[in-house]
């Protein structure tokens, strides 16, 4: 929710200061009218990568502002996960992606996005599909409630592509993740 103050729009990514102190939220009476968002990615590093299938068929490309996690179905299965973070959700109740595209072009495959620990153990699953032909983009309009907002988490991006000689993929592309 953007805040308009004296004719000036203050986006959630902006800053509101009172007595030279940056505020996390602004309330009008008991109603919260603005809350500052926290950037998870870009910002947090790749904390752990796990290759769970054939090494040549799992890749991670991270420019620092865009990340691509890809499993390629070759003669063996491609399967792996990346954990970004850690980060605290204390004071935040939702998570969203500026642009996250997940797609599968192979049967016996899946994609998963979750809040996890450093080892990839899922604390809360956000996105999951194993449907061949799945191709969905998540934007700021899709917000996910955080079940336990007072935790320290990692953002897990997991892909698996079953073995196939056809070279099909399970891919996650992301360029922004935020807490509000």
């Amino acid at each position: 929710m953007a805040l308009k103050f004296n004719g000036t729009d203050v986006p959630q990514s902006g800053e509101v200061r009172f007595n030279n102190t940056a505020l996390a939220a602004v309330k009008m009476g008991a109603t919260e009218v603005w809350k500052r968002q926290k950037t998870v990615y870009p910002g947090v590093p790749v904390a752990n990568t796990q290759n769970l299938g054939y090494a040549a068929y799992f890749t991670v490309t991270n420019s620092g502002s865009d990340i691509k996690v890809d499993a390629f179905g070759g003669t063996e299965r491609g399967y792996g996960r990346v954990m970004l973070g850690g980060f605290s959700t204390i004071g935040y109740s939702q998570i969203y992606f500026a642009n996250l595209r997940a797609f599968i072009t192979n049967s016996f495959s899946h994609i998963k996005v979750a809040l996890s620990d450093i080892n990839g153990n899922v604390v809360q699953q956000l996105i999951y599909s194993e449907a061949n032909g799945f191709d969905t983009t998540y934007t700021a309009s899709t917000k996910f409630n955080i079940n336990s907002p007072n935790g320290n988490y990692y953002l897990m991006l997991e892909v698996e592509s079953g073995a196939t000689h056809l070279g099909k993929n399970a891919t996650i592309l992301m360029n922004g993740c935020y807490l509000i």
Side-chain angles (χ1 to χ4, degrees), residues 1-179:
M1 67 191 116
L3 174 69
K4 190 170 203 133
F5 184 74
N6 289 337
T8 302
D9 287 325
V10 181
Q12 286 180 292
S13 59
E15 186 173 79
V16 173
R17 299 185 75 78
F18 181 74
N19 288 338
N20 211 24
T21 301
L23 301 177
V26 174
K27 291 184 177 183
M28 180 63 108
T31 304
E32 187 174 89
V33 294
W34 179 86
K35 186 170 188 173
R36 184 172 185 182
Q37 74 183 12
K38 177 180 178 180
T39 302
V40 174
Y41 184 88
V44 297
V46 171
N48 192 9
T49 301
Q50 296 174 334
N51 189 333
L52 305 166
Y54 184 65
Y57 298 148
F58 171 68
T59 61
V60 178
T61 307
N62 182 14
S63 71
S65 60
D66 295 285
I67 189 165
K68 178 181 180 183
V69 183
D70 187 50
F72 177 86
T75 55
E76 303 291 332
R77 77 179 181 157
Y79 183 18
R81 63 176 70 117
V82 172
M83 277 65 70
L84 299 170
F87 58 92
S88 172
T89 59
I90 294 172
Y92 299 93
S93 60
Q94 294 182 316
I95 188 168
Y96 75 91
F97 304 99
N99 191 20
L100 182 144
R101 180 177 176 219
F103 61 93
I104 301 170
T105 61
N106 185 10
S107 298
F108 312 109
S109 302
H110 77 264
I111 60 94
K112 182 188 303 182
V113 178
L115 297 175
S116 74
D117 66 13
I118 186 73
N119 297 313
N121 298 308
V122 173
V123 176
Q124 180 182 342
Q125 187 166 283
L126 304 172
I127 301 167
Y128 181 84
S129 181
E130 55 186 28
N132 184 13
F134 178 82
D135 188 345
T136 302
T137 299
Y138 298 88
T139 62
S141 63
T142 304
K143 294 178 176 54
F144 300 90
N145 290 328
I146 299 171
N147 291 342
S148 180
N150 295 320
N152 294 307
Y153 299 114
Y154 294 82
L155 182 66
M156 182 183 73
L157 308 174
E158 179 179 286
V159 291
E160 178 186 17
S161 184
T164 174
H165 67 285
L166 302 174
K168 304 281 186 155
N169 294 66
T171 304
I172 297 172
L173 305 161
M174 184 185 74
N175 68 4
C177 179
Y178 305 92
L179 298 174

